[in-house]
């Protein structure tokens, strides 16, 4: 049965109306307590569970992702909402600070100063095609914005518009159950870039959350910078996630590492922002053994359907461009014939010199593709690190001996990524407070923040300092009588010490 529906793009007038309603909702929602926000988020989680049997078949049809994977992703989305709700309620993210007054301070009395994070305002969210739940309509950005006290306007991804519509329905149900202000959530369709542009340019939009390609993220970032009032754009974009294979490690376990990486490169038809698209090793017998073993694995893996026609087309084009570059050698391709909609697992190689001189080889080929860069020695490997752009993750496959021999690699790799992995694979992003999912540009537009884990809430808030406020006019979290008070820091002693 054909389940996919066609949705109409929003008009400019509709976008204006949505934004005005969203602003009115902001004025009411920002006054809700942390508990009310958390209850609302938990209710969304409950409503998402209720639509599971309805939405999964639609998502399967729209994305071609397997049912098991989509069920898992919906579970993760529900977990995120509950996890961020708990964090929102506990309030550590508010970064509350209290410096009490010192009236007797000379030459000037010190005022009472109290500071905490307050919500920014309406947040426009653009989800990605490869995560129709966890990085989409009710995904991480939406959950973080609600936790921070911001209304959300989602621009549905045209590749899973129907899935998005059903999820939006569950959020709207929660809005009703929790008596939240109308306009706290809006769902807008837009297969044309125009709709996204209007949303980003609208004066009542106060922040943007984006997950997707570098081209898309950069375009929206540049659009936002043309506004009269600049706003933050938190764009999480593509990444090639370099893996540095150190010699001692490779000498001991070439086959094990090869098996691990064959699975990581081809997991989910390579359609992960943490896919290991670049593998760097030092020329020699061990690297050759590794390449032979990895090639044998890659050849065995069957091609599979990609998310949508656009992604598959981009994969074949970018793969062709990459393989056609001077000095690039195709090491292995899946032995089974791939159809147009499928991604064929592919492994290529090039010398470090070829890589260093060719920016095309630094670009993401979104899909089951990885390039091995062969360095002459550790110094050339360091050159590769120094010339690799910002990444979500980097991985070091090394023994203790490797680290002792090449401390400079560990040192320099830290400068280019948001998450540094030791002896593992970059695919798989845990949802917890210590996770960092964001890195130096072009991985993201602001490496100070994460889009996974409850710290992501801070993206949609700004500090506000209250000076000499009567206690009853302060937000509850800054009042003297606040019974929980776990996040308060009273450092008047420190201030006195500094002055005397
Ligand atoms: P995408 O094509 O950039 O689409 C993302 C969203 O942005 C869509 O709603 C899209 O609308 C919109 N968009 C794209 N270009 C635009 C423009 N110029 N103006 C206005 N709106 C625009 O990305 P995708 O194909 O869905 O996702 C795959 C990419 O996401 C990969 O590169 C992957 O690495 C990356 N990704 C990153 C993360 C991360 O956390 N960093 C996570 C998952 C995926 P249209 O479809 O209408 O273009």
């Amino acid at each position: 049965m054909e389940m996919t529906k066609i949705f109409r793009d929003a008009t400019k007038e509709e976008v204006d109306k949505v934004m005005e309603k969203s602003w009115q909702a902001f004025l009411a929602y920002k006054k809700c307590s942390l508990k009310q926000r958390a209850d609302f988020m938990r209710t969304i989680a409950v409503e998402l569970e209720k639509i599971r049997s309805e939405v999964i078949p639609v998502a399967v049809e729209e994305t071609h992702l397997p049912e098991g994977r989509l069920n898992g992703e919906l579970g993760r989305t529900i977990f995120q909402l509950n996890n961020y709700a708990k964090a929102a309620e506990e309030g550590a993210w508010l970064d509350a600070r209290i410096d009490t007054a010192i009236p007797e301070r000379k030459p000037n009395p010190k005022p009472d100063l109290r500071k905490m994070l307050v919500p920014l305002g309406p947040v426009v969210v653009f989800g990605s095609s490869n995560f129709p739940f966890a990085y989409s309509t009710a995904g991480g950005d939406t959950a973080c914005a609600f936790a921070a006290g911001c209304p959300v306007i989602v621009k549905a991804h045209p590749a899973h518009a129907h899935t998005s519509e059903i999820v939006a329905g569950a959020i709207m149900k929660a809005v009703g159950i929790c008596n939240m202000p109308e306009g706290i959530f809006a769902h807008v369709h837009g297969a044309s870039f125009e709709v996204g542009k209007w949303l980003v340019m609208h004066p009542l939009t106060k922040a943007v959350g984006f997950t997707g390609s570098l081209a898309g993220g950069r375009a929206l970032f540049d659009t936002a910078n043309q506004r009269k009032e600049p706003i933050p754009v938190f764009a999480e974009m593509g990444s090639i996630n370099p893996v540095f294979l150190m010699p001692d490690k490779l000498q001991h376990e070439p086959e094990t590492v090869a098996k691990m990486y064959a699975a990581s490169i081809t997991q989910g038809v390579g359609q992960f922002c943490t896919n290991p698209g670049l593998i760097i090793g030092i020329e020699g017998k061990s690297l050759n053994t590794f390449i032979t073993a990895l090639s044998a694995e890659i050849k065995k893996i069957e091609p599979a359907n990609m998310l949508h026609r656009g992604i598959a087309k981009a994969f074949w084009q970018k793969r062709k461009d990459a393989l056609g570059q001077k000095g690039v050698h195709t090491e292995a391709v899946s032995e089974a014939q791939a159809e147009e909609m499928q991604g064929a697992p592919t492994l290529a190689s090039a010398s470090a010199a070829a890589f260093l001189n060719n920016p095309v080889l630094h670009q993401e080929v979104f899909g089951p593709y990885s390039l091995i860069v062969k360095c002459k020695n550790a110094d050339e490997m360091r050159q590769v690190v120094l010339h690799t752009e910002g990444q979500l993750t980097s991985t070091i496959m090394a023994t203790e001996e490797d680290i002792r021999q090449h401390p400079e690699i560990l040192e320099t790799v830290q400068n280019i990524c948001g998450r540094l992995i030791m002896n593992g694979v970059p695919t798989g992003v845990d949802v917890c407070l210590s996770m960092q999912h964001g890195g130096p540009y072009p991985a993201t537009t602001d490496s100070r923040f994460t889009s996974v884990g409850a710290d992501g809430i801070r993206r949609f808030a700004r500090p506000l300092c209250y000076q000499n406020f009567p206690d009853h006019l302060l937000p509850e979290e800054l009042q003297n009588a606040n019974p929980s008070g776990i996040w308060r820091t009273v450092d008047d002693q420190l201030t006195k010490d500094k002055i005397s």
Side-chain angles (χ1 to χ4, degrees):
M1 184 180 60
E2 178 70 38
M3 279 177 283
T4 312
K5 287 188 184 175
I6 307 283
F7 294 95
R8 183 180 60 80
D9 279 15
T11 62
K12 176 89 171 54
E13 290 65 38
E14 283 165 341
V15 166
D16 287 343
K17 253 197 206 127
V18 158
M19 291 313 306
E20 271 148 35
K21 262 185 157 179
S22 180
W23 185 256
Q24 291 311 317
F26 171 56
L27 301 178
Y29 186 51
K30 68 180 193 148
K31 293 189 195 139
C32 287
S33 67
L34 295 180
K35 173 154 184 0
Q36 283 171 309
R37 292 182 207 168
D39 285 346
F40 170 48
M41 291 164 70
R42 289 189 184 109
T43 310
I44 298 173
V46 170
E47 291 306 313
L48 284 183
E49 191 54 69
K50 287 188 197 161
I51 58 158
R52 188 183 283 274
S53 58
E54 178 194 358
V55 77
I56 295 292
V58 175
V60 169
E61 183 178 314
E62 284 189 316
T63 66
H64 308 106
L65 290 170
E67 192 181 325
R69 142 80 201 270
L70 287 167
N71 260 311
E73 193 188 320
L74 183 59
R76 174 189 163 147
T77 311
I78 290 168
F79 173 79
Q80 274 176 182
L81 280 156
N82 286 321
N83 186 269
Y84 299 177
K86 185 167 175 279
E89 209 171 20
E90 285 170 0
W93 66 275
L94 290 168
D95 269 348
R97 307 273 189 262
I98 299 176
D99 277 299
T100 46
I102 311 171
E104 70 280 13
R105 190 179 76 174
K106 299 282 187 275
N108 297 311
K110 179 180 181 291
D112 184 282
L113 294 163
R114 299 174 189 230
K115 179 171 80 170
M116 65 175 229
L117 294 185
V118 296
L120 281 180
V123 176
V124 171
V125 171
F126 292 82
S128 69
S129 59
N130 58 333
F131 283 97
F133 298 118
Y135 292 83
S136 283
T137 318
D141 286 352
T142 298
C144 285
F146 282 154
C150 302
V152 171
I153 307 94
V154 165
K155 205 291 273 175
H157 199 300
H160 48 73
H162 190 185
T163 303
S164 192
E165 184 84 8
I166 299 172
V167 172
I171 300 177
M172 290 313 291
K173 201 111 178 267
V175 170
I177 295 168
C178 298
N179 276 321
M180 282 294 156
E182 204 198 334
I184 188 174
F185 177 78
H187 188 243
V188 173
H189 289 281
S192 88
F193 290 164
E194 221 45 30
V195 177
K197 207 168 159 189
W198 293 332
L199 286 166
V200 172
M201 290 301 281
H202 200 282
L204 295 175
T205 297
K206 298 299 170 198
V208 175
F210 170 93
T211 309
S213 62
L214 173 59
R218 182 71 214 208
L220 293 174
F221 180 81
D222 290 343
T223 300
N225 281 326
Q226 286 158 25
R227 289 169 52 109
K228 190 166 169 224
E229 177 202 350
I231 51 166
V233 176
F234 299 103
E236 309 288 332
M237 302 172 289
S239 192
I240 51 174
N241 306 293
V243 178
F244 296 90
L245 300 176
M246 303 311 290
D248 193 49
K249 179 77 177 172
L250 218 46
Q251 193 188 335
H252 284 95
E253 311 171 51
E255 272 102 6
T256 319
V257 177
K259 273 209 167 72
M260 225 166 127
Y261 271 87
S264 180
I265 294 164
T266 55
Q267 189 184 341
V269 204
Q271 300 166 116
F272 288 118
C273 51
T274 49
N275 195 53
L278 196 65
I279 301 177
I280 304 107
I282 296 175
E283 282 174 7
K285 201 165 148 249
S286 310
L287 185 61
N288 290 344
T289 314
F290 167 80
I291 295 174
T292 307
L294 182 55
S295 298
E297 293 295 323
I298 291 285
K299 283 180 191 161
K300 280 191 270 177
I301 299 168
E302 302 247 325
N305 274 346
M306 298 194 78
L307 287 155
H308 56 84
R309 232 160 254 293
I311 290 255
K313 198 169 155 212
F315 168 74
W316 287 105
Q317 186 58 51
K318 288 196 169 152
R319 177 184 178 276
K320 186 173 160 209
D321 292 348
L323 295 178
Q325 298 300 306
K326 195 164 165 241
V328 174
H329 172 68
T330 306
E331 294 283 351
V333 180
S334 167
E335 272 167 357
Q337 184 67 34
E339 289 165 22
E340 207 185 324
M341 255 303 277
Q342 295 181 321
T346 306
L347 185 68
S349 70
S351 68
F355 175 78
L356 288 168
N357 288 320
N358 190 345
V360 175
L361 301 180
H362 298 227
Q363 287 169 16
E364 182 188 39
V365 178
F366 191 62
Y369 174 91
S370 197
L371 174 73
I372 296 183
V373 174
K374 299 177 181 175
C375 305
K376 291 207 180 313
N377 48 41
D379 194 48
E380 204 170 42
M381 186 182 258
R382 204 173 67 89
Q383 289 304 316
V384 170
V385 183
L386 292 174
H387 292 89
T388 300
E389 296 80 357
Q391 304 290 334
L392 288 172
T393 78
S394 291
T395 304
I396 298 192
M397 300 296 292
T399 59
E400 288 286 339
E401 180 56 25
D402 282 321
I403 303 293
R404 251 195 306 279
Q405 293 283 329
H406 307 287
E408 74 288 354
I409 299 291
L410 186 58
E411 202 50 46
T412 40
V413 171
Q414 298 188 25
N415 297 333
I416 61 163
C417 63
R419 179 163 59 108
L420 186 52
I421 300 146
M422 183 65 80
N423 290 327
V425 291
T427 35
V429 183
D430 243 86
V431 180
C432 65
L433 267 178
S434 307
M435 177 50 69
Q436 174 60 22
H437 196 61
Y441 184 84
T444 62
T445 45
D446 196 334
S447 62
R448 294 168 300 169
F449 295 92
T450 179
S451 64
V452 175
D455 274 346
I457 300 171
R458 294 170 203 258
R459 291 174 297 167
F460 304 119
R462 66 183 174 88
L464 177 62
C465 171
Y466 299 85
Q467 183 165 334
N468 283 343
F469 258 58
D471 203 53
H472 71 280
L473 289 182
L474 283 164
E476 201 187 330
E477 294 80 13
L478 292 176
Q479 289 175 4
N480 290 332
N482 178 15
S484 59
I486 48 162
W487 54 83
R488 294 168 53 196
T489 57
V490 182
D491 66 352
D492 54 355
Q493 190 57 46
L494 183 73
T495 318
K496 269 184 205 156
D497 288 345
K498 264 194 220 152
I499 286 156
S500 58

